[in-house]
Amino acid sequence: MRENELAGARWRKSSHSGGGNDCVEVAFVPGGTAVRDSKDPEGGAFVLPAGGWQGLLDSLS
């Protein structure tokens, strides 16, 4: 996914972050889930396909 395709993404941060900038943000985009560092939102993001995102969540629980 190209960077300009993420320009309109709605980024969300965990409510468990305490309001700080020391976590990751996610945005649900066509084809998967984009992830970026909240401390460096202009530093780029990577997109996990839907199955990859679910696999990540499954491994955390």
Side-chain angles (χ1 to χ4, degrees):
M1 179 168 278
R2 293 182 297 257
E3 188 174 330
N4 62 341
E5 293 178 72
L6 295 175
R10 183 174 168 220
W11 293 96
R12 298 169 35 168
K13 192 183 312 184
S14 169
S15 60
H16 297 285
S17 69
N21 257 0
D22 53 354
C23 60
V24 297
E25 297 174 313
V26 299
F28 300 107
V29 296
T33 302
V35 182
R36 71 180 182 184
D37 183 349
S38 64
K39 293 183 301 284
D40 188 16
E42 302 302 319
F46 65 91
V47 178
L48 293 165
W53 177 248
Q54 188 60 54
L56 175 64
L57 294 179
D58 291 344
S59 72
L60 297 173
S61 56

